[in-house]
C-alpha cells in the first residue's frame, strides 16, 4: 500500500508514466475497495445466519414437542414472536462473571466449544462461527454422558456431534428440570466473533449477579432501573435496528419504580437513567402526586425563522422560484425565503437531514430527499412499549408507516402539501438520497434518484404513480450530481469521484456509457455538470478544468484547463448563452464564459473570504446570481457590482447560546471559531467575530455590556458587546469550558468546566476585572448547567451524571441547610435536574437524551431539547412524570441549546451537527 501511494505521488509530481498504466492502477484501487466492502457484507450476512439458524432450531424444537404431545414451556415474560430481536450482537462470552455457579448447560458457549463440537460449521475465512444446523427428531432422544461435580451439578461430556438446543431440552425433560429459553445478547469474544447463549429463566435468576451476589435484574439504590450486566448493555446486530430498541427497552422496564413523594421529608424521588435522585420540595408543598396526569401547556411553538444554509457538504441545493422566493435547506427543513419582503416559509415534513432538492419543470413542485435516521419511537416516544412484531403483515405495516428510512418527498411549493412519498417500505434507499432530478423533455413525468450507499444505486420513478420503474448500480465511487438532459429524451448524466457517466433510458432499462478522459491528466473528481442552451454537456473537475462532452461517444470535444486554482465546484448556464463557473478551495472566484466556445467574458470576481469558497451557483431574479458557499452562506449579486450576504450561518457544531438580558437579541457560537450576535425582531445578524479557538458556551452580563465565551481548550474570554474587543482572557485547565453564568447582581462570575469544577470570580471595574475567589469541587462529571439565586448568594449546578448540588456563591462550599435551601428563589431555570423540572424526566418520554432546559421569564413554561431533535414545552412547574407536553421538530439531531428571549414571545434553539439556528414564536393555542 505504501508503494502504491508512492507511485501515485510520483505521477502527481510529474514523473513520466504511461496513461494506460495509470488508469489500470486506478481501477485496481477501486477493485480492492470493492472486494473489501464485499467481505464486510459477507461477514454481516454470516452474523445474521447465526441468528436465523438459532431461531430455526428453536422453532423446530417447539414443533417437535408439539408432535410428541408436549407443549413448549412459556417464558416468564409474554412470549415474543419478534425474530428480529434475536439479532442483537452480544459481547463477552456468557454470564461467567457471576459469583454463583450457573446450572449445567448442554449448550456450547464460546467459539472454542463450537470448534470442538462442530468443526465443519466454520466458514472459509475462519473468522465467523455459523450456528450448527438443527438435528433431526431422532437425535432429540440421545443422551450425553455427564460427570457429577462437587457442587451437585453435572458437567457434560460432549460426544462427537455436540448438542443442540433441542437435545438440551430433551435431556432436562428427562431429568424433570423445566427450562425456559430466551435469547440473551452477550457481546463478542476476544476475536470479535458474534456469539449468543441460550439461557433459561432459571439461569437469569440464579446467575445474573455481580461479584457481591447482588441481583442485577432487580432495582437497587445504586443500579436502579434496567441495571443489567455490562455485557447485556452493549452493541446490537446489523439487522436489529428495526426492533431492538423496543424489545430491549421493554426488558429494561422490568422492575421500574414510579417516582415517590415523601411528605415528612418533603422530598421528591425520581429515577433518571435508573438512578434514584432526591429533589427537595418547597416548604409549601406538603402533598404531591408525581404520577398524576397533567395537561399540556396552552402555549404552542411555531417556526418563525431559520438561520443558516447547508452548503458545507451538499451541492445543487439552491433554486429561484417564480414566487420570488429562494429555495434551500438546512437540517430537516426546506426554506422558501423572499429577500424582498424579508419573509420565510418552511416545509417541515422531513424527519432527518435533507441532502438534496430538485425543482419540477413547472417550477411549482419540489422533490427533496433525506437521509435515514430517527425511528418512529424516537419521534413519538409513547410508542416505545409497542408489542413485538409477530407476523409479516405487522412488519409490512410497520415499514409502510416508519418514515425513519431515507426517502424522497414531492410537494407543492405554494401550499406546502406533500404530493407523493417515494422509497418508504421497499428499502430502496439504504443511507440517504444524495441526488434527485426531474425529467425535462416529457414534462417532468420521471424522477431519478441516487442512493448514497456502497453501490450508489440509480433508480427511475414514475412518481405520480409512486412506482419504481428500474434501478441499477451507478458507480463504485461517490456520486455528486445527477441531471436529465433538457432536449434529449431520456438522456441522463451522473458524475462523481473519478467518473462521468451518460445513461440512456428506454422506458424499461438503463444503459450506461462511461466518459473517457484522454491523456494523463485524469481528474480525481468530476464535481459539477450542466447543459448549455444548445444542449452541450459541460463538466467541471477537481483539476480546475471545464470540459464539453459528446454524450453519444462519451468523449471530450472541447476543454479549457486550469481555469480555477481549485476545483470547479459549480457550473451554471444562464440566459444569453453564458456560462458561470465557481472555484473551490482558496480560489473563491466566479468567472463568466461564452458557453459555445468557452471564451472568457468577465471575471474572476472574488466572493468575501469569510463566506468560504463557492459551492453552488443558481440564476436569481432579474439577471442576478445566487451563490451558495462552503461556509453555509448565501450571496446575491452580479459580475459588475459584486456579491452581498442574504443568508449567514455557522459551518461547524453549535454549542453556545445565550440571550441578551435587556433586548430581543441572542448570541450563538460553535466549533467554527465564530461568534455571532443576532436580532430576533429583524431576523438579521448584528455582528460576527472570529476567535482563535472553538467556542463551547457563552453568557451575557446582566447589564448587557459584556459577554463571556468559553472555549474548547479551557480558556474563556470577556468581550465588549459594542466594540467586540476582547477585554479579558483567562484559562482554567485544558478541558472545555461548558457553561458560564453571571450572578444577578453582576458581581460574581461562575465558570463551569468539563473537569467537574466550578470556578468563582469576583467582578469589578465595570465588568473589566476578574479575580478568582473560590472553586466548587464535588461533582463527578462535567458541569452542564448553573443557576443563581435571586439574591446572588447561592448557585445550583447539574452535571452529566445528573447530579444536583447547591453551593455558596461566595465561599464555594456546599450548602447543607436543606430547610433553607428548599425555599430558594432561583433567578433562572437552566438546570434540568430540579424539583420544578422533575416531570421532564418521564420514563415514558424517552428523556434520557435530554440536552438543555430553560424556564420562561414569566415562570409559566419550561422548554426542553433532546438528542433526537425534538423540542418540547411543559407547564411550569413540572413535577409529574406523566405531564403532557407540546412537541415540535425541525432539527435533525442533538438540539444542544434552548433559550427564551427577553419577553418570552420567542424561543431560540440550536443544533450541534446540523449547524442550524431556529427561532420559534410562543403563542397560546
Amino acid at each position: 500500500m505504501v508503494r502504491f501511494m508512492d507511485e501515485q505521488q510520483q505521477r502527481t509530481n510529474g514523473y513520466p508514466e504511461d496513461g494506460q498504466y495509470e488508469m489500470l492502477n486506478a481501477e485496481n484501487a477501486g477493485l480492492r475497495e470493492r472486494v473489501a466492502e464485499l467481505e464486510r457484507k459477507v461477514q454481516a450476512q454470516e452474523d445474521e445466519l447465526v441468528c436465523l439458524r438459532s431461531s430455526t432450531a428453536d422453532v423446530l424444537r417447539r414443533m417437535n414437542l408439539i408432535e410428541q404431545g408436549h407443549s413448549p414451556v412459556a417464558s416468564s415474560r409474554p412470549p415474543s414472536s419478534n425474530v428480529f430481536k434475536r439479532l442483537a450482537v452480544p459481547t463477552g462470552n456468557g454470564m461467567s462473571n457471576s459469583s454463583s455457579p450457573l446450572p449445567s448447560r448442554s449448550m456450547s458457549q464460546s467459539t472454542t466449544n463450537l470448534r470442538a463440537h462442530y468443526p465443519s460449521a466454520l466458514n472459509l475465512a475462519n473468522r465467523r462461527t455459523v450456528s450448527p444446523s438443527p438435528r433431526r427428531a431422532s437425535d432429540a432422544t440421545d443422551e450425553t454422558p455427564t460427570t457429577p461435580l462437587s457442587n451437585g451439578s453435572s458437567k457434560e461430556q460432549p460426544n462427537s456431534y455436540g448438542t443442540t438446543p433441542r437435545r438440551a431440552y430433551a435431556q432436562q425433560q428427562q431429568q424433570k428440570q423445566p427450562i425456559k429459553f430466551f435469547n440473551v445478547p452477550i457481546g463478542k469474544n476476544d476475536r470479535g466473533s458474534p456469539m449468543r447463549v441460550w439461557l433459561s429463566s432459571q439461569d437469569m435468576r440464579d446467575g445474573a449477579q455481580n461479584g457481591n451476589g447482588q441481583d442485577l435484574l432487580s432495582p437497587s439504590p445504586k443500579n436502579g432501573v434496567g441495571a443489567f450486566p455490562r455485557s447485556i448493555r452493549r452493541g446490537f446486530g446489523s439487522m436489529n435496528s428495526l426492533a431492538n430498541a423496543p424489545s430491549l427497552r421493554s426488558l429494561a422496564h422490568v422492575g421500574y419504580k414510579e417516582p415517590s413523594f415523601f411528605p415528612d421529608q418533603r422530598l421528591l424521588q425520581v429515577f433518571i437513567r435508573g438512578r434514584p435522585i432526591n429533589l427537595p420540595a418547597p416548604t409549601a408543598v406538603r402533598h404531591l402526586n408525581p404520577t398524576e396526569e397533567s395537561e399540556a401547556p396552552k402555549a404552542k411553538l411555531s417556526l418563525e425563522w431559520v438561520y443558516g444554509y447547508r452548503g458545507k457538504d451538499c451541492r445543487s441545493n439552491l433554486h429561484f422560484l417564480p414566487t420570488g422566493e429562494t429555495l434551500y435547506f438546512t437540517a430537516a427543513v426546506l426554506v422558501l425565503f423572499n429577500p424582498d419582503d424579508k419573509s420565510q416559509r418552511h416545509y417541515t415534513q422531513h424527519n432527518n437531514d435533507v441532502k438534496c432538492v430538485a425543482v419540477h419543470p413547472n417550477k411549482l413542485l419540489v422533490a427533496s430527499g433525506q437521509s435515514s435516521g430517527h425511528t418512529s419511537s424516537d419521534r413519538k416516544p409513547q410508542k416505545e412499549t409497542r408489542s413485538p412484531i409477530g407476523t409479516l403483515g405487522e412488519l409490512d405495516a410497520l415499514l409502510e408507516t416508519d418514515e425513519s428510512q431515507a426517502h424522497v418527498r414531492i410537494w407543492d411549493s405554494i401550499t406546502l402539501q406533500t404530493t407523493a412519498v417515494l422509497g418508504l417500505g421497499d428499502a430502496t434507499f439504504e443511507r440517504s438520497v444524495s441526488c434527485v432530478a426531474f425529467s425535462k423533455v416529457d414534462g417532468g413525468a420521471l424522477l431519478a434518484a441516487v442512493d448514497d450507499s456502497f453501490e450508489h444505486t440509480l433508480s427511475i420513478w414514475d412518481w405520480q404513480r409512486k412506482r419504481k420503474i428500474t434501478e441499477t448500480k451507478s458507480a463504485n465511487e461517490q456520486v455528486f450530481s445527477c441531471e436529465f438532459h433538457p432536449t434529449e429524451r431520456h438522456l441522463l448524466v451522473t458524475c462523481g469521484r473519478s467518473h462521468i457517466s451518460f445513461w440512456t433510458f428506454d422506458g424499461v432499462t438503463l444503459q450506461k456509457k462511461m466518459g473517457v478522459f484522454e491523456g494523463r491528466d485524469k481528474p480525481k473528481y468530476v464535481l459539477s455538470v450542466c447543459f448549455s442552451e444548445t444542449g452541450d454537456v459541460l463538466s467541471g473537475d477537481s483539476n480546475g478544468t471545464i470540459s464539453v462532452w459528446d454524450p453519444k461517444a462519451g468523449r471530450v470535444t472541447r476543454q479549457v484547463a486550469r481555469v480555477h486554482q481549485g476545483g470547479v465546484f459549480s457550473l451554471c448556464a444562464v440566459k444569453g448563452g453564458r456560462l458561470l463557473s465557481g472555484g473551490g478551495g482558496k480560489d473563491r472566484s466566479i468567472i463568466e464564459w461564452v458557453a459555445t466556445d468557452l471564451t472568457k467574458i468577465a471575471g474572476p470576481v472574488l466572493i468575501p473570504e469569510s463566506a468560504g469558497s463557492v459551492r453552488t451557483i443558481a440564476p436569481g431574479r432579474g439577471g442576478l446570481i445566487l451563490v451558495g458557499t462552503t461556509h453555509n452562506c448565501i450571496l446575491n449579486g452580479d459580475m459588475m457590482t459584486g456579491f452581498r450576504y442574504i443568508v449567514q450561518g455557522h459551518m461547524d457544531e453549535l454549542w453556545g447560546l445565550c440571550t441578551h438580558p435587556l433586548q430581543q437579541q441572542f448570541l450563538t457560537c460553535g466549533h467554527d471559531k465564530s461568534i455571532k450576535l443576532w436580532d430576533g425582531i429583524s431576523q438579521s445578524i448584528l455582528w460576527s467575530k472570529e476567535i482563535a479557538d472553538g467556542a463551547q458556551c457563552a453568557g451575557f452580563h446582566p447589564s448587557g455590556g459584556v459577554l463571556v465565551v468559553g472555549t474548547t481548550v479551557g480558556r474563556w474570554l470577556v468581550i465588549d458587546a459594542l466594540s467586540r474587543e476582547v477585554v479579558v482572557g483567562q484559562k482554567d485547565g485544558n478541558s472545555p469550558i461548558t457553561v458560564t453564568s453571571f450572578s444577578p447582581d453582576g458581581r460574581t462570575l461562575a465558570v463551569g468546566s468539563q473537569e467537574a469544577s466550578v470556578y468563582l470570580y469576583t467582578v469589578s471595574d465595570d465588568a473589566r476585572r476578574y479575580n478568582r475567589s473560590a472553586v466548587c469541587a464535588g461533582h463527578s462529571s462535567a458541569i452542564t448547567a448553573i443557576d443563581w439565586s435571586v439574591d446572588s448568594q447561592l448557585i445550583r449546578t447539574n452535571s452529566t451524571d445528573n447530579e444536583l448540588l447547591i453551593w455558596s456563591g461566595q465561599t464555594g462550599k456546599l450548602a447543607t441547610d436543606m430547610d433553607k435551601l428548599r425555599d430558594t428563589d432561583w433567578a433562572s431555570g437552566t438546570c434540568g435536574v430540579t424539583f420544578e423540572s422533575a416531570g421532564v424526566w418521564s420514563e415514558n418520554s424517552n428523556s434520557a437524551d435530554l440536552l438543555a432546559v430553560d424556564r420562561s421569564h414569566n415562570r409559566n413554561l419550561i422548554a426542553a431539547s433532546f438528542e433526537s431533535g425534538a423540542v418540547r414545552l411543559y407547564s411550569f412547574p413540572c413535577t409529574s412524570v406523566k405531564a403532557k407536553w407540546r412537541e415540535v421538530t425541525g432539527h435533525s439531531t442533538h438540539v444542544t441549546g434552548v433559550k427564551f428571549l427577553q419577553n418570552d414571545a420567542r424561543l431560540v434553539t440550536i443544533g450541534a451537527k446540523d449547524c442550524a439556528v431556529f427561532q420559534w414564536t410562543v403563542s397560546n393555542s
Side-chain angles (χ1 to χ4, degrees):
M1 179 58 69
V2 174
R3 185 181 64 182
F4 177 78
M5 294 178 65
D6 291 339
E7 293 174 355
Q8 293 290 90
Q9 185 66 30
Q10 291 177 6
R11 291 193 293 275
T12 303
N13 294 335
Y15 284 84
E17 190 74 22
D18 183 66
Q20 186 176 4
Y21 181 67
E22 178 184 0
M23 295 178 64
L24 182 60
N25 271 337
E27 292 296 331
N28 289 339
L31 182 61
R32 283 192 291 270
E33 292 181 1
R34 293 175 59 189
V35 171
E37 182 65 25
L38 288 174
E39 288 179 350
R40 287 193 291 269
K41 283 192 173 183
V42 169
Q43 292 173 5
Q45 291 173 354
E46 289 173 355
D47 297 347
E48 295 162 7
L49 286 175
V50 171
C51 306
L52 292 176
R53 288 197 175 190
S54 299
S55 302
T56 304
D58 183 37
V59 171
L60 293 177
R61 174 187 61 80
R62 293 173 180 269
M63 293 176 61
N64 182 54
L65 290 175
I66 294 175
E67 292 175 358
Q68 295 177 358
H70 300 283
S71 61
V73 182
S75 172
S76 59
R77 293 186 296 133
S80 169
S81 56
N82 181 7
V83 298
F84 295 97
K85 72 179 181 181
R86 300 186 187 276
L87 303 182
V89 172
T91 43
N93 59 353
M95 309 295 291
S96 58
N97 58 348
S98 173
S99 60
S100 302
L102 296 178
S104 65
R105 296 191 192 129
S106 302
M107 289 295 301
S108 59
Q109 300 180 13
S110 66
T111 307
T112 304
N113 290 340
L114 281 178
R115 286 178 180 271
H117 295 182
Y118 305 99
S120 62
L122 300 179
N123 68 339
L124 295 179
N126 201 20
R127 284 178 295 184
R128 297 295 182 191
T129 303
V130 181
S131 177
S133 302
R135 303 186 61 82
R136 299 182 182 275
S138 59
D139 296 334
T141 58
D142 297 338
E143 293 186 341
T144 302
T146 57
T147 302
L149 298 179
S150 58
N151 58 4
S153 61
S154 61
K155 178 179 179 181
E156 178 186 9
Q157 301 292 334
N159 56 24
S160 59
Y161 297 99
T163 48
T164 63
R166 291 172 55 199
R167 185 189 298 269
Y169 184 86
Q171 291 172 357
Q172 294 208 20
Q173 282 290 88
Q174 293 176 3
Q175 299 171 8
K176 305 302 182 180
Q177 296 179 0
I179 183 170
K180 304 175 183 180
F181 286 106
F182 62 93
N183 202 7
V184 179
I186 61 167
K188 297 183 178 180
N189 62 13
D190 54 353
R191 298 184 304 115
S193 299
M195 295 295 301
R196 60 188 20 78
V197 175
W198 291 81
L199 302 180
S200 68
S201 57
Q202 186 65 33
D203 290 339
M204 295 300 294
R205 284 192 292 268
D206 297 340
Q209 298 178 353
N210 59 13
N212 298 324
Q214 180 183 2
D215 187 359
L216 293 173
L217 293 182
S218 61
S220 66
K222 181 177 181 180
N223 294 305
V225 184
F228 299 104
R230 184 176 299 273
S231 60
I232 297 182
R233 296 186 278 115
R234 293 183 181 173
F236 306 108
S238 58
M239 292 184 61
N240 203 34
S241 57
L242 177 66
N244 68 5
S247 61
L248 187 62
R249 286 166 183 159
S250 63
L251 185 63
H253 280 254
V254 175
Y256 165 66
K257 282 189 175 181
E258 296 285 351
S260 303
F261 179 73
F262 303 99
D264 295 338
Q265 296 83 12
R266 291 193 297 279
L267 288 177
L268 174 62
Q269 185 183 71
V270 297
F271 289 86
I272 302 176
R273 294 189 178 103
R275 295 177 54 192
I277 306 295
N278 296 322
L279 304 173
T283 305
V285 179
R286 299 190 177 277
H287 301 283
L288 178 68
N289 184 1
T291 60
E292 181 181 6
E293 291 189 4
S294 60
E295 295 297 325
K298 295 182 179 180
K300 66 177 182 178
L301 296 176
S302 301
L303 186 58
E304 180 183 17
W305 202 264
V306 173
Y307 302 87
Y309 152 81
R310 183 161 185 169
K312 63 176 183 178
D313 58 357
C314 293
R315 297 169 171 81
S316 301
N317 55 356
L318 192 59
H319 300 272
F320 182 76
L321 301 178
T323 57
E325 297 169 310
T326 300
L327 172 66
Y328 58 94
F329 59 79
T330 185
V333 176
L334 288 106
V335 182
L336 296 89
F337 171 51
N338 192 326
D340 295 333
D341 57 10
K342 197 68 175 178
S343 63
Q344 282 186 357
R345 296 188 298 138
H346 310 100
Y347 180 78
T348 59
Q349 296 304 307
H350 286 282
N351 56 18
N352 207 353
D353 282 319
V354 179
K355 302 299 290 290
C356 56
V357 64
V359 178
H360 193 272
N362 64 13
K363 302 297 183 181
L364 296 178
L365 296 177
V366 176
S368 51
Q370 74 162 64
S371 59
S372 58
H374 301 302
T375 62
S376 57
S377 61
D378 289 330
R379 287 296 184 179
K380 296 179 175 58
Q382 62 269 22
K383 292 186 177 181
E384 284 182 5
T385 55
R386 69 184 181 200
S387 59
I389 302 169
T391 65
L392 291 178
E394 294 177 6
L395 175 60
D396 292 337
L398 175 64
L399 290 175
E400 290 294 336
T401 58
D402 184 10
E403 298 182 357
S404 65
Q405 68 184 89
H407 62 273
V408 176
R409 289 180 173 269
I410 302 172
W411 47 280
D412 192 307
S413 62
I414 303 298
T415 63
L416 302 181
Q417 297 298 315
T418 303
T419 302
V421 180
L422 309 178
L424 287 180
D426 55 6
T428 298
F429 309 110
E430 294 183 13
R431 294 175 53 189
S432 65
V433 184
S434 59
C435 305
V436 288
F438 284 103
S439 59
K440 297 178 175 60
V441 178
D442 57 4
L446 301 178
L447 179 79
V450 178
D451 178 23
D452 189 18
S453 62
F454 170 68
E455 294 186 344
H456 305 285
T457 304
L458 170 64
S459 56
I460 305 296
W461 296 77
D462 181 353
W463 63 267
Q464 294 176 339
R465 294 183 176 88
K466 304 178 183 179
R467 181 176 65 90
K468 180 170 60 179
I469 301 175
T470 186
E471 67 176 9
T472 185
K473 177 181 177 179
S474 64
N476 296 328
E477 306 288 354
Q478 187 176 3
V479 178
F480 295 149
S481 181
C482 174
E483 294 289 344
F484 276 96
H485 197 281
T487 58
E488 294 288 338
R489 188 177 185 86
H490 294 167
L491 176 61
L492 186 67
V493 182
T494 61
C495 69
R497 182 174 181 176
S498 302
H499 77 275
I500 181 171
S501 303
F502 304 93
W503 301 83
T504 302
F505 177 60
D506 59 7
V508 180
T509 60
L510 283 163
Q511 296 181 353
K512 176 181 178 182
K513 179 180 287 295
M514 292 290 296
V516 178
F517 290 91
E518 299 178 353
R520 300 191 329 200
D521 196 17
K522 180 181 179 179
K524 188 175 182 180
Y525 299 95
V526 180
L527 299 170
S528 55
V529 65
C530 76
F531 306 96
S532 66
E533 292 181 346
T534 59
D536 293 332
V537 180
L538 300 103
S539 69
D541 58 48
S542 56
N543 293 336
T545 301
I546 300 176
S547 305
V548 182
W549 294 84
D550 179 2
K552 295 182 180 179
R555 294 185 178 275
V556 177
T557 60
R558 291 185 303 279
Q559 195 173 67
V560 179
R562 310 298 181 184
V563 298
H564 291 280
Q565 295 180 5
V568 183
F569 274 30
S570 180
L571 289 175
C572 176
V574 294
K575 293 181 179 179
R578 295 174 297 137
L579 175 70
L580 298 173
S581 64
K586 297 181 179 180
D587 187 84
R588 299 187 295 107
S589 66
I590 300 175
I591 302 177
E592 186 176 2
W593 309 82
V594 176
T596 55
D597 57 4
L598 296 181
T599 302
K600 184 186 294 186
I601 300 176
V605 176
L606 297 180
I607 64 174
E609 184 177 0
S610 59
S613 57
V614 177
R615 173 62 74 188
T616 185
I617 302 175
R621 180 193 294 272
L624 296 179
I625 303 169
L626 294 171
V627 180
T629 74
T630 56
H631 285 190
N632 293 346
C633 301
I634 299 178
L635 307 174
N636 190 23
D638 55 36
M639 300 295 291
M640 298 295 294
T641 61
F643 299 89
R644 62 181 180 85
Y645 289 102
I646 60 173
V647 174
Q648 295 189 56
H650 288 272
M651 60 168 293
D652 207 344
E653 290 191 14
L654 274 177
W655 287 89
L657 171 66
C658 65
T659 57
H660 198 284
L662 305 176
Q663 303 180 37
Q664 305 300 306
Q665 300 173 359
F666 61 94
L667 183 137
T668 58
C669 57
H671 292 178
D672 59 355
K673 306 177 183 180
S674 176
I675 305 171
K676 300 182 186 297
L677 182 65
W678 311 83
D679 183 73
I681 302 298
S682 62
Q683 291 94 30
S684 61
I685 186 169
L686 299 179
W687 55 258
S688 178
K689 179 179 177 61
E690 302 294 324
I691 59 176
D693 304 304
Q696 189 75 19
C697 61
F700 270 99
H701 189 270
S703 65
V706 298
L707 57 100
V708 177
V709 176
T711 69
T712 57
V713 296
R715 185 176 178 84
W716 52 272
L717 309 173
V718 180
I719 300 176
D720 189 285
L722 296 178
S723 65
R724 288 171 274 173
E725 297 294 330
V726 176
V727 178
V728 176
Q730 182 73 28
K731 190 174 179 64
D732 288 318
N734 297 318
S735 299
I737 302 298
T738 54
V739 58
T740 60
S741 179
F742 283 97
S743 61
D745 60 12
R747 297 179 180 178
T748 309
L749 171 66
V751 179
S753 170
Q754 198 175 50
E755 296 177 348
S757 297
V758 179
Y759 305 94
L760 299 179
Y761 288 83
T762 57
V763 182
S764 59
D765 292 348
D766 199 18
R768 263 63 177 176
R769 183 186 295 268
Y770 297 80
N771 296 315
R772 183 188 290 183
S773 58
V775 178
C776 305
H779 278 289
S780 60
S781 57
I783 309 300
T784 58
I786 297 176
D787 288 329
W788 282 90
S789 62
V790 173
D791 58 7
S792 301
Q793 297 300 309
L794 299 172
I795 62 172
R796 63 180 179 184
T797 56
N798 283 171
S799 67
T800 54
D801 284 340
N802 302 310
E803 299 167 317
L804 171 62
L805 298 180
I806 301 178
W807 317 78
S808 169
Q810 283 69 40
T811 64
K813 296 181 179 180
L814 279 173
T816 58
D817 192 346
M818 188 62 64
D819 291 334
K820 294 182 179 179
L821 298 178
R822 66 176 69 252
D823 293 322
T824 302
D825 187 11
W826 299 100
S828 60
T830 61
C831 290
V833 184
T834 63
F835 171 80
E836 57 267 25
S837 60
V840 178
W841 299 94
S842 169
E843 182 69 16
N844 294 324
S845 66
N846 196 23
S847 299
D849 60 353
L850 179 68
L851 290 180
V853 170
D854 191 35
R855 184 195 70 193
S856 62
H857 298 83
N858 59 18
R859 308 195 180 201
N860 291 332
L861 298 171
I862 294 178
S865 62
F866 300 84
E867 288 183 5
S868 63
V871 179
R872 297 178 188 156
L873 278 185
Y874 297 83
S875 296
F876 179 87
C878 182
T879 57
S880 173
V881 294
K882 293 187 178 180
K884 297 181 180 179
W885 65 82
R886 292 186 181 271
E887 179 178 297
V888 292
T889 57
H891 290 283
S892 56
T893 181
H894 288 84
V895 185
T896 52
V898 55
K899 291 286 185 181
F900 287 95
L901 292 189
Q902 188 266 340
N903 64 353
D904 293 331
R906 291 177 173 86
L907 182 76
V908 179
T909 59
I910 59 173
K913 296 183 179 180
D914 57 34
C915 308
V917 181
F918 289 176
Q919 181 173 304
W920 313 79
T921 58
V922 183
S923 59
N924 291 330
S925 300

